Structure formats: structure tokens, C-alpha cells
Amino acid sequence: MFDSYAENTLQYHKDRCINCKRCTQVCPHGVFAEGPEHAELAHPAACMECGACALNCPVQAIEVQSGVGCAWAMISAAIRGKDMDSGECSCGGSEGSCCGVQEEKSSCCNEK
Amino acid sequence: MGHRVEPGLYQIGNPTAESPVLASANYTLSFDALRSALAGFDAYILVLDTNGINVWCAAGKGTFGTGELASRIETTGLAGIVTHRKIIVPQLGAPGISALEVQRRSGFRVEYGPVRASDLPEYLRTGKATSEMRRVQFPVRDRIVLAPVELVHVALPAIVIAAVLWFLAGPVAALAAIAAVFAGTVLFPVLLPFIPTRDFSTKGLLLGGVVAIPFAAAFASGSALPGWAALIAAITPLLIMPAVTAYLALNFTGSTTFTSRTGVKKEIFRYVPVMTFMAVSGIILGIVLGVTRLLGVI
């Protein structure tokens, strides 16, 4: 109830994992944990779909539809009649864009 | 834009052919954070062209990416400057970098450093990032920093609406508009982890509801309205203000460090219709109240 974030597009095929531990190194939310034989999916609901794990997995054991969870970008795209998923979190650059200002630690859309 | 560093290879201290190489974005704050964290070390910084955007955002867009990293290694002649073949990439650059592909194209092995530049000294000494160093946090300090940005973004429309409301319904109504916006842009980021429920929209509805209570009381008790009109006067802010605060709260998702696109999309479909219904019905009630007063019914 009142939790839209319990499910996401992350899929992990444990059988393909070669235990290189890359996913545990790139995930900013500890979704994957090291295991004796293969990486363990420790906190799947914490996934923010950044896509780092899937992009860095050498054996395609991880799949995720990566994107930026920015309502502002999605609503703007929808208002302009575009596909919501094409709603780029247009960081930096021109006026009226999101992101910027912050250091590495902050996410997108800091400066709208 | 005055936030850019010229892309290329930079030296920290007196690096040798064995010194570590660290990749960064050409955003001034990213570069400066890295440079000050590396004070006292001898190292190279490879600055990628990310159009002046920080590492994480640029990685999400792919400008801090495999292609740019591989070609920057190439154009700077890094392979002739250092004898090792290792490049330390900030962990938050990983959404844009395929380590395997970088190695294939450039011969350099990508190692992901810690999330925060401030952990680099320890990382360089031990050669390992602890799981704590690999976690992104969203502490109150970072959330407070964002509040003015959120506020400025909606300040102009908020002031215009407040001015219009002042004319139409008086100073308390104008203050209500300001309060709803302030709650959504300043209170919400600060109180984010403490407001019940997980969804930003429901958090915003709760916060906006609490903020609306004194206004509902003020409207209901003011200017000696008959019972039904006092009720409408009280309900109006309870409908409009939470909707405004919740909408602003939902728009804060993009500034956070943890919301997934799937979840945000679900929130939009679940709650934007509710917010719209609340705002529209509140505005209609407000108009009804105003018109009846104008006509001298009350």
C-alpha cells in the first residue's frame, strides 16, 4: 500500500553468473551482495534502475530497463505529447533543464 | 556556462609513469572535489567531456560513457604516459560505462572507485572500496541544499497565484498558496524520510494536509459564515493545498538518489489523477463560495 517502488524491471539470471563481483561494485544501493558461488540478489526493491550492473555484467546475467526516475521529466514529456520514457532528464545545458549544481553524490534533476 | 573544465589529462602533484589515473567529468564541482580529495597524492586526472554535467547525471545520459572514455584515453595518449593499464572510474559513472568494452577498445582496465571523492584517499591506500563507500546516501545536508533550487523553480508562478488570490480572496488565501508551495519545495525535501508512507505523492498529500489544517480553521471561523458556507470554506484549502504540495513532492523524485523509473511512472498514473481531481474540485468550491458571496447570498 502506498509503495510504488516495490517492483521494478530488474531481472537476475543467477545461473549465468560467473561471480566476477562487478555488480556488487557498481550498485549504489547494495542490491547485489557477494556470495560464495555467485552474486546474491540481496535487496531487489532498492533498485533504482540506473542500469550500471547490467551494462557491466560480462555475461548478461542481469537485465534491467534503465532510466531516470524523474517525474518532472516524464510529465513534461507527456505534456509535450511525447513518449514518457523519451522524457530525458535533460540535465544541464539550457534553461529549464534539470540537474547540475550538485557533486557526484546527487542524482539527476537537481537544477531544474 | 562557467562550470566547465577543459577535457584532457591533468596532473596532481608530480605523477610518474606508475601513478594512478582517475577519470572525472568536466564539471567544475566534480573536478574540484576530485582535486581536493587527491591533495598530497601524485596522480593523473582524465577529464571527459560531459558538457559540464556531473558524473552521475552524465552517465545516465551516456555522455560520461564508454565511447568518450575510450576515445579520451586515445586522444590524450595515456598509454604512452603511464606504464600500467588501469583507470579508476567513479562508481557513479558506471551507468554509462561498460568496463569490458572500454578494455576492449583502449586496453585499459576499468576499476570502479568509491561513490564519494572524499573516500578516495582510503581507497587509494587500501586498493578497496568498502561496501559503505559504495552506497549512495541522501543525507539531510544534501536535501537542504536542493530546497532553494526547488523553491526558485516554482517561485514566479507561486507569487503570481498568491497575488491573484490576494485580490480575489484576501491575504490568508494568498498565504495559503505560499504555504502549499513552501511545504512542497522546502519542508518536503527536509522531512522526506520522516513522513509516513513510501510514495512521494502520499507523503506530499499528508504534509500538505497538515499544512492546510490551520488555513481550513481560519477560513471556517472567519467572517461569520453560515454553517454550509463555513464547511465549504474549510474543505477548499484541504482539497487544493495537499494537491499542490503532493505534485511538487512528486516532482522531487528526480532530485533524489533512489527513485526508479518504474516506480515514478506508477506514482504518476496512480496519483496525478487524484491530485487533479482534488485541485479542480477545490477550485470549483472556491469559485462557488466567491460567487455566492458576490451575489450577496451570504
Side-chain angles (χ1 to χ4, degrees):
Chain A
M1 195 62 172
F2 305 132
D3 184 357
S4 302
Y5 300 91
E7 285 165 30
N8 52 59
T9 58
L10 180 69
Q11 282 184 296
Y12 174 45
H13 308 285
K14 205 186 241 184
D15 51 310
R16 295 183 203 161
C17 178
I18 55 167
N19 211 17
C20 75
K21 301 185 173 67
R22 270 292 190 200
C23 52
T24 64
Q25 292 164 8
V26 296
C27 179
H29 292 295
V31 170
F32 292 93
E34 286 185 23
E37 315 256 303
H38 37 60
E40 300 287 348
L41 196 52
H43 301 288
C47 176
M48 62 177 290
E49 301 177 329
C50 74
C53 53
L55 188 60
N56 281 278
C57 178
V59 291
Q60 284 83 48
I62 306 168
E63 286 174 68
V64 63
Q65 289 169 30
S66 65
V68 179
C70 177
W72 184 83
M74 282 190 253
I75 293 171
S76 309
I79 289 172
R80 288 197 307 268
K82 292 184 186 163
D83 179 20
M84 276 169 88
D85 293 340
S86 75
E88 231 188 84
C89 186
S90 46
C91 311
S94 58
E95 266 306 292
S97 61
C98 43
C99 287
V101 153
Q102 276 294 286
E103 299 161 40
E104 263 80 297
K105 65 183 103 168
S106 311
S107 166
C108 238
C109 305
N110 290 335
E111 193 177 61
K112 285 177 192 157
Chain B
M1 292 289 282
H3 305 300
R4 297 188 186 199
V5 181
E6 192 62 33
L9 193 65
Y10 291 78
Q11 300 189 350
I12 297 291
N14 298 298
T16 65
E18 277 90 51
S19 297
V21 184
L22 298 102
S24 186
N26 76 328
Y27 175 49
T28 320
L29 285 187
S30 307
F31 183 70
D32 287 347
L34 181 55
R35 214 165 36 166
S36 51
L38 291 174
F41 284 88
D42 297 319
Y44 293 97
I45 298 181
L46 185 71
V47 174
L48 309 194
D49 185 2
T50 60
N51 302 318
I53 309 295
N54 71 70
V55 171
W56 206 5
C57 287
K61 296 161 76 70
T63 46
F64 188 99
T66 305
E68 167 63 12
L69 179 57
S71 67
R72 197 58 63 182
I73 289 171
E74 183 82 21
T75 55
T76 53
L78 188 61
I81 295 167
V82 293
T83 49
H84 64 80
R85 290 291 175 265
K86 182 175 103 176
I87 181 149
I88 300 167
V89 173
Q91 184 189 331
L92 294 186
I97 303 278
S98 163
L100 208 67
E101 189 62 19
V102 170
Q103 179 154 27
R104 202 183 61 78
R105 290 196 207 172
S106 69
F108 276 78
R109 198 176 77 254
V110 170
E111 250 177 47
Y112 289 108
V115 165
R116 286 165 293 273
S118 55
D119 287 326
L120 271 171
E122 191 187 330
Y123 172 80
L124 289 174
R125 270 194 301 272
T126 61
K128 191 178 162 14
T130 63
S131 53
E132 181 54 33
M133 289 184 204
R134 296 230 171 272
R135 290 293 192 95
V136 164
Q137 309 292 347
F138 199 33
V140 68
R141 197 182 66 93
D142 289 1
R143 300 197 307 272
I144 287 174
V145 165
L146 291 170
V149 183
E150 300 290 318
L151 184 59
V152 165
H153 186 56
V154 292
L156 188 64
I159 290 168
V160 171
I161 289 168
V164 171
L165 278 175
W166 191 311
F167 274 109
L168 292 178
V172 181
L175 190 63
I178 300 288
V181 170
F182 185 80
T185 54
V186 179
L187 289 183
F188 182 79
V190 173
L191 300 175
L192 179 63
F194 310 110
I195 308 171
T197 71
R198 176 106 194 262
D199 284 342
F200 283 54
S201 311
T202 48
K203 282 172 184 278
L205 285 172
L206 287 172
L207 180 64
V210 170
V211 172
I213 289 171
F215 289 95
F219 285 131
S221 59
S223 62
L225 296 170
W228 63 271
L231 188 64
I232 291 180
I235 290 171
T236 304
L238 288 173
L239 284 171
I240 302 175
M241 291 176 69
V244 170
T245 303
Y247 184 74
L248 293 170
L250 177 59
N251 275 281
F252 189 65
T253 48
S255 298
T256 70
T257 57
F258 54 83
T259 52
S260 67
R261 186 170 66 182
T262 303
V264 172
K265 201 190 280 181
K266 208 177 275 177
E267 277 215 51
I268 291 174
F269 285 116
R270 267 186 189 171
Y271 302 112
V272 170
V274 177
M275 295 173 201
T276 311
F277 174 78
M278 288 174 67
V280 169
S281 49
I283 289 166
I284 290 171
L285 283 182
I287 291 171
V288 167
L289 203 60
V291 169
T292 48
R293 185 178 281 179
L294 263 180
L295 296 175
V297 179
I298 49 174

